[in-house]
Amino acid sequence: MTRHALVALIISALVVAAPLAQKNAPAKPGGNAKLDALKQEAVADVESRTQFAQQMVDQIFSYGELGFQEFETNRYLIDILKKNGFAVQEGIAGIPTAFMATWGSGKPVIALGSDIDCIPQASQKPAVAWHEPMIEGAPGHGEGHNSGQAVNITAALAVKKIMEREKLPGTIRIWTGTAEELVGTKAYFVRAGFFKDVDIALFTHVGENLDVSWGERAGNGLVSVQYSFVGETAHAAANPWRGRSALDAVELMDIGWNFRREHLRLSQRSHNVITDGGDQPNVVPRTASVWYYFRETDYPHIKELWETGDTMAKAASMMAGVDLLPTKVLGSAWPQHFNKAVAETTWANIQKVGLPQWSDEDQQLATALQKELKNPRAEGLRTKLSDGLQGPVRENTGGGSDDIGDISWNVPTVTLRYPSNIPGLPGHNWANAISMATPIAHKGVIAGAKVQAMTLLDLVSRPELVEQAWKYFKDVQTKETKYEALIRPQDTPAIWLNKATMDKYRPEMKKYYYDPSRFKNYLEQLNIKYPTVRTTAP
Ligand SMILES: [Zn+2]
């Protein structure tokens, strides 16, 4: 199909879908002919930026940077935004790889955010339907955070063009969810006041369908804490009685925690890694550290888990006869709560845009990977939107976290999910990277950008919508629950994390950075056939 035919098809689909969408719109349905026309224009404009979005997705995929070390990604995005007329504050809130970009003036102020960091040991060749790292042991985009900025920036540029011509007042901000895998930054953005004057936050995150929700979201908030102990070295064979082992304290704390686990609420999640377990066996370990994530469904329960952890660390240090150093908070996230009015508006736009048209090749890659992972059903990519707008979770049994939660308790916020990934994957895994530099990711991003552009136009054209959003925020969401940061006054962003890992792998990874001046897309550069699936059983 030619691009013109495609645009015509989209516009005719919009016309057909319009009455249905208006029925679901929260505000008065009539008198929006002008706005509808602007939205159609924005959709066509996003479509015309397909190559721009694809290059961004592929470029950031190739950088594969871990949290707090997103230097290439940051530079790349800042350059694009500056080139397109945004003023950029760099290194915000004491975080070198974070920025806040601004264009426009006056109200409303709409802040578009998305994460940029990747996952340890998730290096993976895109479009290959089995585990095949680009570089063994290296990080990779095994969550799909390489795609969200493309959704927001593509949408923002389409809407900016319209706002300039129509002289619509309003400010667009674009910001980075830096180190999201460490839930390491968003509480600091809030603390530094970056969301004080923001009217609405539109967040976006990769998913397997095009959707949005309001109210309490399934999952947990968390606090991420490092416990470090100090003892005394000694010859572990000649004079072990002269030593005091910091590692003993770490192990005693972990044993204590695992006994206590039986008596914790079903909704909690807690896990740890030992980041310092001593030097070598014949030297009694003088230092040792253990890093815990304590997850629960609300602030009081997170605090309670954290206090239990602190008690165990203290008790373990007493048992081992070592000192417990002051604890370090490495990250935190409030549970997520999304805004009803903004979600309803976004959902109406989702219904107008619909899911991408998947090709046979897209579906082949998806089903091949689902079979590779031995999923009970290999159903391929989603071809239907969910039945309706998702409301608050009925019974929150816990799960993952995202520090967008902190922003959602300070400003009316929603997270738009767009279908750039394959259903039924483990998450935080090489498998989740496979689609992320392929037509699946590219099409999902364009669908997401269309929705984001339409919602942006709604927000700058209908002041009553911003009012409704704040009414829900004040009268419902925060009526009884008040935000209190989990980070303490003495805590600062853990910007040293992941440096050693990136220093180790970056020289090798640089050889595979995407070069859009030479290759149409990253698969072409890597010389990978789309899709690459097994022809015989593994
Ligand atoms: Zn994520």
Side-chain angles (χ1 to χ4, degrees):
M1 200 181 321
T2 66
R3 179 166 297 164
H4 278 116
L6 192 64
V7 172
L9 187 75
I10 290 159
I11 291 173
S12 62
L14 284 173
V15 172
V16 172
L20 173 75
Q22 280 182 357
K23 200 180 70 190
N24 291 300
K28 48 184 187 272
N32 275 343
K34 170 93 194 269
L35 176 57
D36 287 343
L38 293 181
K39 284 183 178 183
Q40 287 179 26
E41 186 190 336
V43 163
D45 188 281
V46 165
E47 188 73 34
S48 76
R49 295 176 198 267
T50 296
Q51 192 193 18
F52 169 80
Q54 168 253 311
Q55 285 183 355
M56 226 184 299
V57 169
D58 288 3
Q59 192 74 59
I60 298 175
F61 182 92
S62 77
Y63 290 150
E65 294 178 301
L66 291 167
F68 287 118
Q69 305 302 323
E70 308 98 329
F71 290 98
E72 303 273 15
T73 306
N74 217 51
R75 183 79 265 141
Y76 171 75
L77 290 170
I78 288 169
D79 285 350
I80 288 176
L81 288 163
K82 282 186 175 168
K83 226 176 275 168
N84 284 284
F86 280 76
V88 186
Q89 280 173 277
E90 303 182 28
I92 62 166
I95 301 153
T97 56
F99 66 76
M100 179 70 74
T102 304
W103 174 85
S105 62
K107 289 276 183 182
V109 179
I110 315 294
L112 303 171
S114 197
D115 305 323
I116 53 172
D117 57 327
C118 78
I119 300 284
Q121 305 212 22
S123 175
Q124 169 68 33
K125 285 189 179 167
V128 176
W130 59 82
H131 188 202
E132 193 168 326
M134 307 249 302
I135 299 161
E136 181 62 43
H141 273 289
E143 164 106 359
H145 286 178
N146 60 306
S147 56
Q149 289 289 337
V151 170
N152 286 340
I153 295 175
T154 306
L157 296 186
V159 172
K160 172 176 173 268
K161 200 166 112 186
I162 292 173
M163 286 172 74
E164 277 169 337
R165 189 195 61 214
E166 300 289 321
K167 301 193 168 46
L168 291 171
T171 305
I172 300 176
R173 297 248 170 89
I174 293 182
W175 56 278
T176 48
T178 305
E180 190 280 330
E181 297 302 346
L182 303 162
V183 287
T185 57
K186 296 186 188 94
Y188 290 105
F189 296 160
V190 170
R191 186 165 86 179
F194 282 97
F195 285 83
K196 271 220 168 90
D197 67 338
V198 171
D199 292 296
I200 305 286
L202 297 180
F203 196 65
T204 192
H205 194 282
V206 63
E208 44 188 63
N209 207 331
L210 195 54
D211 58 26
V212 69
S213 65
W214 66 272
E216 184 189 354
R217 189 177 154 78
N220 286 329
L222 75 81
V223 64
S224 152
V225 187
Q226 179 170 282
Y227 296 95
S228 295
F229 302 91
V230 181
E232 188 52 85
T233 65
H235 194 298
N239 300 301
W241 40 84
R242 300 274 295 269
R244 286 171 294 124
S245 168
L247 179 60
D248 286 354
V250 164
E251 291 185 282
L252 287 165
M253 181 182 174
D254 289 353
I255 290 165
W257 189 263
N258 284 329
F259 271 98
R260 179 64 71 90
R261 200 184 287 280
E262 182 188 350
H263 310 290
L264 297 174
R265 301 192 336 147
L266 291 177
S267 52
Q268 74 86 29
R269 302 280 193 286
S270 47
H271 15 255
N272 67 72
V273 293
I274 297 173
T275 48
D276 174 10
D279 302 297
Q280 56 187 61
N282 65 337
V283 181
V284 172
R286 180 175 169 273
T287 62
S289 297
V290 61
W291 178 11
Y292 267 84
Y293 273 24
F294 300 116
R295 305 195 201 228
E296 255 288 8
T297 54
D298 57 37
Y299 177 82
H301 286 103
I302 296 167
K303 292 280 277 190
E304 208 179 297
L305 270 192
W306 184 4
E307 269 166 38
T308 307
D310 283 359
T311 303
M312 289 201 176
K314 232 174 279 161
S317 73
M318 288 164 77
M319 283 189 276
V322 300
D323 296 326
L324 170 65
L325 296 181
T327 58
K328 275 196 174 119
V329 169
L330 302 183
S332 67
W334 259 61
Q336 300 163 66
H337 188 115
F338 296 128
N339 190 271
K340 189 163 189 249
V342 184
E344 283 171 344
T345 304
T346 307
W347 177 244
N349 293 328
I350 285 173
Q351 287 174 294
K352 289 180 197 169
V353 170
L355 283 167
Q357 206 59 47
W358 305 119
S359 68
D360 291 348
E361 289 79 9
D362 299 336
Q363 290 289 10
Q364 273 168 27
L365 178 65
T367 48
L369 178 60
Q370 289 162 341
K371 282 181 193 155
E372 178 78 13
L373 296 170
K374 302 190 170 55
N375 285 9
R377 283 170 299 173
E379 291 178 312
L381 298 164
R382 296 258 187 269
T383 53
K384 259 185 65 198
L385 294 174
S386 58
D387 290 336
L389 171 62
Q390 295 172 53
V393 59
R394 277 207 203 101
E395 199 190 346
N396 194 354
T397 53
S401 318
D402 188 323
D403 51 358
I404 189 61
D406 286 72
I407 289 162
S408 78
W409 285 95
N410 282 277
V411 174
T413 302
V414 301
T415 292
L416 166 70
R417 301 210 165 230
Y418 53 91
S420 285
N421 221 320
I422 295 168
L425 308 185
H428 293 179
N429 181 268
W430 53 266
N432 294 67
I434 287 173
S435 73
M436 291 315 305
T438 73
I440 297 173
H442 305 145
K443 290 177 197 174
V445 160
I446 290 299
K450 287 175 184 170
V451 175
Q452 205 73 313
M454 290 166 93
T455 306
L456 257 173
L457 282 170
D458 275 313
L459 292 168
V460 296
S461 313
R462 296 164 52 199
E464 76 277 11
L465 194 54
V466 177
E467 267 168 46
Q468 284 169 18
W470 277 95
K471 194 166 165 15
Y472 174 85
F473 183 83
K474 287 182 178 142
D475 298 350
V476 181
Q477 181 183 346
T478 61
K479 193 166 174 230
E480 271 151 25
T481 309
K482 303 288 174 218
Y483 176 77
E484 228 178 306
L486 284 155
I487 48 171
R488 305 162 301 184
Q490 71 266 34
D491 295 316
T492 54
I495 57 173
W496 62 89
L497 289 174
N498 290 323
K499 184 174 184 309
T501 309
M502 283 315 299
D503 285 350
K504 178 176 171 190
Y505 290 107
R506 199 187 293 276
E508 191 59 22
M509 292 171 74
K510 269 188 178 164
K511 298 176 191 164
Y512 299 97
Y513 285 175
Y514 173 45
D515 180 358
S517 70
R518 292 178 57 212
F519 300 99
K520 205 168 76 224
N521 55 50
Y522 197 38
L523 292 182
E524 188 182 289
Q525 177 169 334
L526 298 175
N527 200 18
I528 295 175
K529 174 179 165 275
Y530 185 69
T532 302
V533 300
R534 290 190 195 278
T535 48
T536 54

